[in-house]
Amino acid sequence: MSLAAVVFDWGGTLTEPLEPLIGREDVWRNAARNLLPEREGEFVEELIAAEERLWEISRTEHRSSSLADLFAHAAQALEVEIEETVIEEATRSQLDLYLPHIAHDPDATKVLSALRDSGLRIGLLSNTLWPGSFHDQLLERDGLAELIDVRLYTSELHHTKPHPKVFEEVLRRLEVEDPSEAVFVGDRPWDDIYGAKRAGLRTVLRPSPTVPDYDVEPDAVIHDLPSLLEVVDAWR
């Protein structure tokens, strides 16, 4: 079979496990102190509720949202207006909390380099509320950004995985016309494997014990990134 590209999920696939990083309430309390300190307790509750609502919309309707959307939803629930500049500052503060806690898989650099050296294009497609610039900052910090040809984040798209549009978009930007010439690697059976298979890509599952199961059969299963090289070589 002919292969042209490998597309990766981000969290839990190219990174070390992301949960638990920081206590959920601590994260939203930090945001509340920046956004609405005079009603901190109420705002924390609304931020938690807004997060749950937006992820539920992602799961059921596959519509995307951003961290700024989350802040706006919580503010609307309390019938308050928050200036855009304050939201931008709160977003930066929120993301700064995570920086020391996120690490990429130590094998990511050599695996991505090996795939590129073999002539494959590399893509990234992540379901996220965070702005793409934050993900890019992390990838650049760890020397991965230059190894990824196309990086897409659903916070900057209309849909989330498993909607076929997001898979079509990453393939379009990778200039891959035939989906069967691309491989998707992810840790989520529903978002990643089901979504990519429905869009016509080959699929590789990297299982995680913290991710809900789903009745879908990936084309291959790996338990570490280096094993992906053997799978891709066999398919080629």
Side-chain angles (χ1 to χ4, degrees):
M1 106 182 243
S2 175
L3 286 183
V6 179
V7 183
F8 291 87
D9 168 55
W10 183 71
T13 302
L14 285 181
T15 74
E16 297 287 280
L18 293 179
E19 297 177 357
L21 291 172
I22 313 168
R24 186 185 189 194
E25 186 171 330
D26 292 337
V27 168
W28 296 127
R29 192 164 299 282
N30 174 75
R33 287 171 183 161
N34 283 281
L35 289 163
L36 201 65
E38 66 274 16
R39 298 177 69 179
E40 179 183 313
E42 291 177 90
F43 205 47
V44 169
E45 293 180 3
E46 291 300 338
L47 287 166
I48 291 173
E51 180 188 26
E52 292 175 350
R53 284 197 302 272
L54 292 182
W55 280 121
E56 181 63 21
I57 289 171
S58 172
R59 284 190 293 269
T60 58
E61 302 176 29
H62 317 314
R63 287 194 287 119
S64 63
S65 302
S66 67
L67 190 56
D69 293 331
L70 191 154
F71 291 155
H73 274 256
Q76 185 177 23
L78 291 181
E79 299 182 340
V80 296
E81 291 187 9
I82 300 175
E83 294 182 6
E84 186 175 337
T85 55
V86 175
I87 288 179
E88 291 173 357
E89 292 172 4
T91 298
R92 182 71 260 169
S93 174
Q94 201 72 356
L95 300 178
D96 284 344
L97 280 178
Y98 284 97
L99 275 172
H101 301 277
I102 296 174
H104 287 101
D105 188 300
D107 292 318
T109 300
K110 68 179 182 182
V111 169
L112 294 184
S113 296
L115 292 170
R116 283 175 61 90
D117 289 345
S118 71
L120 294 168
R121 291 176 61 76
I122 306 299
L124 177 68
L125 176 60
S126 176
N127 276 4
T128 181
L129 294 171
W130 294 344
S133 58
F134 179 65
H135 290 279
D136 287 343
Q137 179 181 342
L138 289 165
L139 292 165
E140 289 164 3
R141 181 195 68 183
D142 295 340
L144 294 176
E146 62 188 26
L147 301 175
I148 302 173
D149 300 292
V150 171
R151 303 186 294 271
L152 288 186
Y153 309 106
T154 60
S155 57
E156 299 170 350
L157 300 172
H158 293 298
H159 299 96
T160 61
K161 296 178 289 184
H163 198 287
K165 288 290 186 183
V166 295
F167 295 98
E168 292 169 6
E169 182 62 17
V170 73
L171 293 184
R172 184 186 70 80
R173 298 197 194 187
L174 285 166
E175 299 180 348
V176 176
E177 295 183 2
D178 183 351
S180 69
E181 295 184 354
V183 177
F184 194 90
V185 186
D187 67 325
R188 293 184 170 272
W190 165 246
D191 300 343
D192 297 330
I193 305 306
Y194 167 76
K197 283 181 74 75
R198 185 172 62 163
L201 290 76
R202 288 265 181 155
T203 57
V204 177
L205 176 67
R206 185 182 186 184
S208 168
T210 65
V211 174
D213 198 10
Y214 183 73
D215 187 16
V216 63
E217 188 71 27
D219 296 296
V221 177
I222 60 172
H223 296 282
D224 55 63
L225 285 179
S227 298
L228 177 64
L229 300 178
E230 299 175 16
V231 172
V232 169
D233 284 345
W235 284 342
R236 298 181 81 181

